[in-house]
Amino acid sequence: MTDLKGAADEGRALLYVRPSMQQEDLGGLIQANGWKVDTASDIRHAHRLLDGNCYRVGLVHIDGFNQQLPDAEELFANRDSIAWVALAHAESLKQGNLCRIIHENFVDYFTLPIAAGMNQLFSTLGHAYGMASLRQQSALEPASADDYEMVGTSAQMRSLFVSIRKVAGVDAPVLISGESGTGKELIARAVHERSLHQPGPFVAVNCGALPENLVNSELFGHEKGAFTGATQRKIGWIESAHGGTLFLDEIGDLPLEMQVNLLRFLQEGTIERVGGTQSIPVNTRVVAATHVDLSRAVREGRFREDLFYRLNVLNLHSPPLRERGEDIELLAKFYFNRFRVDAGRQVNGFTRKALDAIRMHGWPGNVREMINRVRRALVMCDGRMVTPLDLGLEDQVDTGLVMTLEQAREEAEARTIRQALTRNNHNISRSARELGVSRVTLYRLLHKHGLASE
Ligand SMILES: Nc1ncnc2c1ncn2[C@@H]1O[C@H](COP(=O)(O)OP(=O)(O)O)[C@@H](O)[C@H]1O
Ligand SMILES: [Mg+2]
């Protein structure tokens, strides 16, 4: 998927999968119609060809696979950037399984023998090519710098892309909210890339990671001799973002006493270095991000209201991965393709069960978790296909266990709490805040689920 940009130059390349010599060979006719046709005689061969070429369309004799049908299905399911068209004999279409596979993975099918309908097949292949090209273009946010590619075609992400374009051109602070690992920094960079400040630097500061006694000098800089140890003048983060974008990550973690200094900068557009007397104008676009609910922090007195309003002129919300529908699978495949070379040997895709597990998992760590799981899976994987076990998602696979809605809710609650605790090193206050409940409620829930000693 990363090499999509080169794909447009490849011309109308088509993969023709003909697993049985008994099937009528249509390759020559299709080639004569202006396609570059490569023929694969089995699934392994198809995978190899797919790895080395950019096909938009795949034409498959689907009833030639016999016992290998499940492997073939994995091929189609893993290569969904390709528009697959099926060829099948009328009697095969009576098999429920074959119909389901066509229905789930193919854009169209033709009944064999095809003799009379070649023109119709050509026109379908042409349409399939057009649709696959459109799909590939919209799968990636165009015109963003390659390293900051944002993958997404879900309605949520489309609307986010529209908002990014809108706010980028306006010279006012932006506040990005969203859970950790959802791509807030990526969004900030996308805003910067499209803004008037683009030629300037993008300076990212993690407000939660600044050493408490040095926050002021880190942000505003200091003059030589300002305090013991200040042997040289230091330019702070804000000043270094002059002419560009200042990205204040985890702004909710900025100590209260520091918030007033930041507010002053936002109001006046000038800073003073620690120990300095001169007021220095700094022109920078401020983009802040938070994974905590800042308006709630304001209500609870942990965040200044005036600063909140200053930062929250424009806002963007980065949706959690579990709410992005089809993007979950898209991202899994995107990162699979990016890391597959790390595996050091041929790995072809995800097993059907792995794809199910990916769909079923809640992704509390969002895209970051996806990247980690896929990367690890490629290292762990022994076979040619990534399994749920390789992804560490074996318990996500439907065990066929019937449960009531109430039981499912209980189980989800317990799992979410366990994950929050793990993420926050078992710190109760932080976990409670992340879960949006009070400490008292969290303690009660820990006892209820028998997690109290964890
Ligand atoms: N839409 C996306 N497409 C591709 N990669 C993404 C997307 N969103 C996030 N990522 C990747 O996920 C990781 C976490 O993103 P980041 O911006 O650091 O999240 P946050 O700041 O919200 O914690 C990064 O490696 C980022 O490149
Ligand atoms: Mg971040």
Side-chain angles (χ1 to χ4, degrees):
M1 198 106 96
T2 42
D3 51 6
L4 284 182
K5 285 180 184 119
D9 306 319
E10 293 269 321
R12 295 208 303 174
L14 178 143
L15 177 67
Y16 182 44
V17 187
R18 182 168 163 258
S20 156
M21 295 304 265
Q22 277 146 27
Q23 311 281 3
E24 185 182 2
D25 187 355
L26 303 174
L29 285 173
I30 297 166
Q31 198 148 347
N33 190 244
W35 292 85
K36 175 183 171 296
V37 178
D38 289 330
T39 305
S41 52
D42 58 37
I43 297 161
R44 214 176 250 206
H45 190 189
H47 273 297
R48 255 200 327 275
L49 285 169
L50 282 161
D51 285 340
N53 298 278
C54 290
Y55 304 105
R56 294 278 164 89
V57 181
L59 180 65
V60 186
H61 285 279
I62 186 85
D63 48 5
F65 286 110
N66 303 322
Q67 285 84 356
Q68 286 195 309
L69 197 57
D71 296 335
E73 185 180 5
E74 268 162 12
L75 169 77
F76 312 133
N78 279 290
R79 309 284 183 153
D80 56 4
S81 59
I82 294 194
W84 294 102
V85 178
L87 299 167
H89 290 93
E91 62 270 26
S92 327
L93 291 172
K94 289 181 190 137
Q95 300 168 27
N97 196 24
L98 203 69
C99 294
R100 180 190 58 76
I101 291 175
I102 296 177
H103 168 72
E104 285 180 7
N105 302 286
F106 284 69
V107 297
D108 210 342
Y109 73 95
F110 282 81
T111 333
L112 293 170
I114 204 147
M118 261 335 255
N119 280 338
Q120 209 186 332
L121 176 64
F122 292 151
S123 118
T124 296
L125 295 178
H127 279 297
Y129 179 81
M131 286 308 285
S133 308
L134 277 182
R135 200 175 340 159
Q136 291 195 352
Q137 269 164 30
S138 65
L140 299 177
E141 167 70 334
S144 62
D146 277 358
D147 288 349
Y148 309 130
E149 235 161 27
M150 292 179 76
V151 179
T153 55
S154 61
Q156 288 88 332
M157 290 306 279
R158 278 176 198 283
S159 105
L160 177 62
F161 293 154
V162 171
S163 305
I164 288 175
R165 284 192 204 103
K166 278 190 194 148
V167 308
V170 184
D171 198 10
V174 185
L175 182 64
I176 306 169
S177 62
E179 293 174 14
S180 287
T182 51
K184 296 188 294 296
E185 181 156 354
L186 216 53
I187 295 171
R189 286 182 190 274
V191 169
H192 170 69
E193 294 295 326
R194 287 142 203 283
S195 73
L196 296 169
H197 296 271
Q198 192 275 326
F202 177 86
V203 177
V205 186
N206 184 340
C207 299
L210 295 172
E212 207 156 319
N213 52 340
L214 291 176
V215 181
N216 235 342
S217 115
E218 289 282 323
L219 286 177
F220 296 92
H222 62 244
E223 294 293 349
K224 185 175 173 178
F227 47 86
T228 328
T231 51
Q232 292 203 340
R233 165 187 287 174
K234 178 187 156 105
I235 303 296
W237 291 116
I238 300 180
E239 199 177 339
S240 68
H242 182 63
T245 301
L246 176 68
F247 175 52
L248 299 170
D249 202 1
E250 299 309 350
I251 187 81
D253 290 340
L254 196 68
L256 257 177
E257 61 275 17
M258 221 37 61
Q259 294 174 14
V260 63
N261 298 354
L262 183 64
L263 178 68
R264 198 171 313 128
F265 160 64
L266 289 173
Q267 282 168 339
E268 294 164 13
T270 59
I271 57 145
E272 268 175 36
R273 299 189 192 119
V274 176
T277 48
Q278 200 191 351
S279 125
I280 304 160
V282 177
N283 172 18
T284 182
R285 169 83 180 270
V286 176
V287 179
T290 176
H291 77 278
V292 298
D293 179 355
L294 267 196
S295 52
R296 180 179 170 146
V298 168
R299 282 200 303 279
E300 291 172 0
R302 283 177 288 113
F303 202 84
R304 291 183 66 108
E305 189 171 17
D306 43 11
L307 179 58
F308 174 65
Y309 285 116
R310 270 276 159 182
L311 292 169
N312 195 26
V313 177
L314 302 169
N315 53 56
L316 294 170
H317 179 66
S318 186
L321 185 55
R322 62 182 169 278
E323 287 174 11
R324 295 190 204 171
E326 73 236 48
D327 286 356
I328 299 176
E329 224 173 296
L330 194 66
L331 276 161
K333 289 171 185 172
F334 176 82
Y335 279 107
F336 174 85
N337 284 322
R338 176 163 288 182
F339 297 134
R340 66 193 303 185
V341 282
D342 296 353
R345 80 206 125 74
Q346 174 105 13
V347 184
N348 289 329
F350 299 99
T351 63
R352 181 110 213 136
K353 279 210 161 83
L355 288 173
D356 287 344
I358 285 170
R359 263 178 244 128
M360 232 132 51
H361 185 52
W363 300 106
N366 296 297
V367 186
R368 189 171 292 119
E369 179 185 354
M370 174 68 83
I371 296 173
N372 292 339
R373 284 195 191 273
V374 171
R375 185 168 225 169
R376 194 185 49 205
L378 278 162
V379 175
M380 301 307 289
C381 170
D382 292 324
R384 289 185 176 274
M385 289 288 183
V386 170
T387 65
L389 188 70
D390 299 329
L391 288 161
L393 294 178
E394 63 277 28
D395 54 346
Q396 308 285 319
V397 179
D398 185 2
T399 49
L401 216 65
V402 179
M403 58 165 100
T404 64
L405 210 49
E406 184 55 31
Q407 285 165 329
R409 280 193 198 111
E410 293 285 306
E411 200 184 287
E413 189 174 88
R415 187 173 58 235
T416 311
I417 293 172
R418 266 200 308 273
Q419 286 162 342
L421 287 171
T422 310
R423 242 191 333 272
N424 291 295
N425 281 329
H426 296 265
N427 179 313
I428 301 291
S429 307
R430 267 189 283 141
S431 305
R433 204 181 316 150
E434 193 178 290
L435 291 165
V437 296
S438 69
R439 285 165 49 96
V440 178
T441 307
L442 182 54
Y443 274 120
R444 187 177 56 71
L445 291 170
L446 290 177
H447 282 285
K448 173 176 143 192
H449 292 291
L451 300 168
S453 57
E454 278 196 43

